[in-house]
Amino acid sequence: MSTIRGARERARVEVTAAIKDEARRQLAADGAAKLSLRAVARELGMVSSALYRYFPSRDDLLTALIVDAYDAVGAAAEAARAAAGGSTGPHTARWTEVACAVRGWALSHPHEYALIYGSPVPGYSAPQDTVGPASRVGLVFVALARDAHRTDGLAPPRLGPELRPEAERMAADLAPDLPPATVAALVAAWAQLFGLISFELFGHFHRVVEDREPFFRCASRELARSVGLLDGPHGGNVRGGDV
């Protein structure tokens, strides 16, 4: 019985993967709003009722694709942090390598990026299942700030009195071990980073920024500095002439 069960499980994994692959192809061709279980089933030579045993609704399939995309970009960010050297720095360089890994994933998977960071899909409401995967990239940048904070490589930015209550609330929710000024700057930098990527991916830099990789690297370094990350290890600062 275990052999039969194992074969069935492998078959289910293979069919699930095929359904997702075809759904991604349709995303690329027609966009998420036009994703149809019937169309996916037709392309795979399945009857609709068989596909519903894997994904009961379009929203269930969309959620699976969204979770996969968040997990993929999150894994890219985590791998870049691990490959960027120890937690002692240089901290802006480590931040920049993670940012470039996120950008690289986005450029290689534009339709999946658009699914999770583009326009909302009409009629779709993301369930709680997506929250953990969606947090992975942000948590990597929080971890980079923690690495810097532990090794005297963080100089928190100035925090104006009008922002202090909200910064303290965000810090309590997101990273109580970091200064509120750093957490507020992290949220702003995270939003600006994805703004840079989205502008490039969706064509808004056309005839504005031509050499985009060095532009992105320089902008990412400045975002790291806005958070308070120092360029050199153990608080050393080597700003001169690198942007």
Side-chain angles (χ1 to χ4, degrees):
M1 289 294 293
S2 60
T3 301
I4 295 173
R5 188 180 303 114
R8 287 174 178 168
E9 290 173 354
R10 287 193 299 273
R12 184 173 184 84
V13 168
E14 291 172 0
V15 173
T16 299
I19 292 169
K20 289 180 178 180
D21 286 344
E22 175 57 28
R24 292 188 187 100
R25 191 196 68 76
Q26 291 192 19
L27 285 179
D30 302 317
K34 294 185 178 180
L35 182 64
S36 161
L37 289 183
R38 290 182 180 276
V40 171
R42 183 171 59 249
E43 290 299 321
L44 293 176
M46 299 173 64
V47 295
S48 299
S49 58
L51 192 145
Y52 292 140
R53 291 199 292 269
Y54 294 85
F55 296 100
S57 70
R58 181 209 68 158
D59 285 5
D60 290 304
L61 179 53
L62 270 176
T63 296
L65 297 177
I66 287 168
V67 167
D68 284 353
Y70 276 132
D71 278 336
V73 68
E78 291 160 2
R81 179 191 173 218
S87 62
T88 56
H91 300 295
T92 56
R94 298 179 74 228
W95 171 289
T96 301
E97 290 309 310
V98 171
C100 287
V102 174
R103 172 181 177 266
W105 181 88
L107 294 177
S108 297
H109 304 85
H111 303 292
E112 291 166 72
Y113 178 90
L115 177 64
I116 54 178
Y117 294 115
S119 299
V121 181
Y124 174 79
S125 180
Q128 191 69 20
D129 296 357
T130 62
V131 174
S135 302
R136 288 177 65 173
V137 171
L139 289 175
V140 173
F141 287 111
V142 171
L144 291 171
R146 285 194 176 113
D147 290 342
H149 192 41
R150 283 195 298 265
T151 57
D152 297 324
L154 181 70
R158 188 184 67 82
L159 182 62
E162 72 280 4
L163 182 56
R164 181 166 295 280
E166 179 62 9
E168 290 176 347
R169 184 201 63 77
M170 287 192 289
D173 286 349
L174 301 174
D177 54 327
L178 291 175
T182 296
V183 176
L186 268 170
V187 172
W190 169 73
Q192 291 173 74
L193 177 72
F194 281 99
L196 286 165
I197 295 171
S198 294
F199 260 53
E200 178 176 1
L201 204 64
F202 301 144
H204 300 298
F205 281 154
H206 180 60
R207 300 185 66 182
V208 177
V209 180
E210 295 297 336
D211 200 358
R212 291 168 188 167
E213 182 172 354
F215 177 84
F216 182 83
R217 280 188 170 274
C218 290
S220 296
R221 279 198 294 270
E222 288 306 310
L223 289 176
R225 291 167 184 160
S226 75
V227 171
L229 300 187
L230 301 177
D231 293 349
H234 301 298
N237 208 327
V238 290
R239 278 196 166 208
D242 61 343
V243 293

